[in-house]
Amino acid sequence: MGIRAGIVGITNIGKTTIFNALTSSEAESTNYSFSTIKPNNAVVDVPDYRVDEIFAHVTSAKKVYNHLEIMDIAGLVKGASRGEGLGNKFLSDIKLVDAILHVVRCFDDENVIHVDKTINPARDIENVETELIIKDLETVENRISKNEKLLKSKNKEATDIHPLYEKLYAKMSELEHPRTLKLTDQELENIKDMNLLTVKPVIFVCNISENELLEGKDSDYTKAVKEYAEKTGCGVVKICGKVEAELSLLGAEEKAEFLKDYGLDHPGLDLLIRETYNLLGLGTYLTEGEIEVKAWNIRQGMTAPQAAGVIHTDFEKKFIKAEVISYKDFVECNFDRNIAKSKGKARLEGKEYIVQDGDVIIFRFGK
């Protein structure tokens, strides 16, 4: 199950610096607008201590982590929805992602030019979100136009969905964000085919100063972002792009010492991935054997057959049973499946079982 997150924001606020740090890439990062023209893509391992621990205690040829694809998308300016700057390209690229990582500048630096001359996180966020609303309004208008033709023929599906389209149009035409409608899961499913930019889940990434990182206290800029996020139900992560860039160049031992100096337990990537997983309702199950120890992405609420289908679609159809051990029990049984069986910690689960994050599973299939 591939997961793609897009790094977005206004121009020249450190998006590409953060992208390079998180992905160990070398995309161009400069002190002028539109240093990113084409989106930069990178696939990164999702750190998972459970994979490391299991691999260290069983006989297996290799370990394989989950992966997250990160896309660094061209910066936005006012008027993007009307084609200003790289607007059309920016907006079409966002349609490709599952989650939006919205980078917001939360630091002062006279050497780094801000497109609007002053630092104002709430304004910057609203500028981006307004452009997304305007673009989605165009999409909704087109859908309403098509749907009205079906209404004339008394098409039942068109009749049922039309009030939802009108509700979206009424909200967006006032340049209000559709998240304030608090759409139900079913309503979101009904408009999924439109791939609206404004309904994609969002994490605000505060690009903070080195001083704020060292002090361990939120600046007024960061507080403004957190206040905005709380009102809108979005996630927030603090990252110092400058520090992460330095960190990405270090070896394992130097990295651990560097993190300690800043009072950090993990790099920013780890925290950002964890928040992205939470935002998307993702979890992980594990498999282990002689060939590999591997982590697999699942959506929360997946049944055992659906989880097996993540490995191969045929496995969902041919599913019989799943032998399941929780990661905690696997640790307590010294990572030995036979000991887990003798202690009653290995369970045989059927088609109705909901897979839990950290389950260590062996699937059984029919022919």
Side-chain angles (χ1 to χ4, degrees):
M1 181 187 296
I3 304 299
R4 177 183 287 167
I7 297 180
V8 308
I10 63 170
T11 64
N12 209 26
I13 43 87
K15 292 186 308 83
T16 301
T17 297
I18 288 176
F19 171 82
N20 287 342
L22 298 182
T23 62
S24 299
S25 301
E26 296 180 356
E28 182 183 14
S29 177
T30 58
N31 188 22
Y32 59 86
S33 301
F34 308 124
S35 62
T36 301
I37 298 177
K38 295 181 179 179
N40 300 304
N41 288 62
V43 177
V44 298
D45 286 338
V46 176
D48 195 324
Y49 71 92
R50 297 167 300 189
V51 172
D52 298 330
E53 285 298 312
I54 293 174
F55 183 76
H57 288 86
V58 302
T59 302
S60 188
K62 62 178 180 178
K63 57 182 176 180
V64 182
Y65 300 102
N66 275 321
H67 296 100
L68 176 69
E69 182 178 352
I70 298 179
M71 176 186 289
D72 175 27
I73 298 172
L76 189 73
V77 296
K78 285 183 180 180
S81 55
R82 301 185 300 276
E84 296 291 334
L86 298 172
N88 288 328
K89 180 60 176 168
F90 170 94
L91 295 164
S92 63
D93 287 338
I94 296 180
K95 283 186 175 289
L96 303 175
V97 306
D98 301 297
I100 294 174
L101 310 180
H102 186 161
V103 178
V104 186
R105 178 169 171 175
C106 293
F107 65 88
D108 289 308
D109 188 338
E110 61 183 16
N111 296 314
V112 181
I113 303 166
H114 190 289
V115 68
D116 288 320
K117 311 303 180 186
T118 58
I119 312 301
N120 186 328
R123 176 202 60 205
D124 293 349
I125 291 172
E126 289 172 356
N127 284 345
V128 170
E129 295 205 325
T130 296
E131 296 304 324
L132 301 187
I133 291 169
I134 294 171
K135 189 64 177 179
D136 277 352
L137 178 61
E138 179 184 319
T139 301
V140 173
E141 285 177 327
N142 291 337
R143 180 58 61 90
I144 287 175
S145 178
K146 291 179 181 178
N147 204 58
E148 285 176 342
K149 295 177 182 177
L150 296 173
L151 288 176
K152 293 177 181 178
S153 62
K154 297 183 179 180
N155 179 283
K156 186 179 185 307
E157 287 186 18
T159 301
D160 290 343
I161 196 70
H162 202 71
L164 177 56
Y165 292 158
E166 289 186 321
K167 183 165 67 171
L168 285 167
Y169 177 81
K171 181 64 67 174
M172 291 181 183
S173 62
E174 296 296 325
L175 296 185
E176 293 184 33
H177 202 288
R179 67 166 67 97
T180 60
L181 292 171
K182 298 182 179 179
L183 299 175
T184 66
D185 290 343
Q186 185 58 56
E187 286 176 322
L188 289 171
E189 183 63 29
N190 290 342
I191 60 173
K192 189 175 181 180
D193 64 317
M194 285 198 286
N195 196 17
L196 296 177
L197 307 176
T198 50
V199 300
K200 291 182 183 292
V202 176
I203 294 174
F204 293 118
V205 182
C206 298
N207 188 6
I208 65 173
S209 68
E210 189 173 2
N211 285 339
E212 182 174 343
L213 183 65
L214 286 167
E215 291 172 2
K217 295 180 181 179
D218 292 341
S219 67
D220 289 341
Y221 298 143
T222 300
K223 289 177 182 176
V225 176
K226 288 187 174 181
E227 182 180 342
Y228 191 98
E230 187 175 356
K231 289 191 300 183
T232 56
C234 299
V236 179
V237 172
K238 290 171 51 173
I239 289 180
C240 177
K242 179 181 178 182
V243 169
E244 292 292 332
E246 294 177 25
L247 187 62
S248 67
L249 302 175
L250 303 178
E253 290 186 10
E254 292 175 305
K255 186 175 292 186
E257 190 64 31
F258 192 88
L259 288 169
K260 185 178 178 181
D261 290 342
Y262 281 92
L264 302 174
D265 295 321
H266 305 284
L269 174 61
D270 294 20
L271 180 59
L272 189 54
I273 287 176
R274 186 160 63 245
E275 287 299 316
T276 302
Y277 266 53
N278 290 337
L279 186 72
L280 294 174
L282 297 175
T284 300
Y285 75 85
L286 307 149
T287 56
E288 51 87 23
E290 292 183 4
I291 296 176
E292 63 186 14
V293 175
K294 186 165 183 175
W296 301 88
N297 281 329
I298 53 169
R299 298 203 178 274
Q300 292 173 12
M302 270 190 169
T303 62
Q306 290 172 327
V310 172
I311 300 176
H312 195 288
T313 53
D314 285 348
F315 291 174
E316 182 173 356
K317 300 173 186 176
K318 298 177 180 179
F319 175 89
I320 297 178
K321 291 286 183 182
E323 184 179 295
V324 182
I325 308 170
S326 72
Y327 177 74
K328 179 181 177 182
D329 287 340
F330 203 39
V331 173
E332 292 177 356
C333 294
N334 297 319
F335 300 93
D336 190 312
R337 190 166 285 271
N338 290 326
I339 294 176
K341 288 178 181 179
S342 69
K343 292 186 174 183
K345 300 293 186 179
R347 315 180 309 275
L348 278 180
E349 301 286 0
K351 293 182 178 181
E352 303 303 315
Y353 177 69
I354 304 299
V355 176
Q356 303 298 305
D357 184 66
D359 278 349
V360 185
I361 304 179
I362 290 179
F363 292 107
R364 298 181 182 179
F365 309 103
K367 295 182 180 179

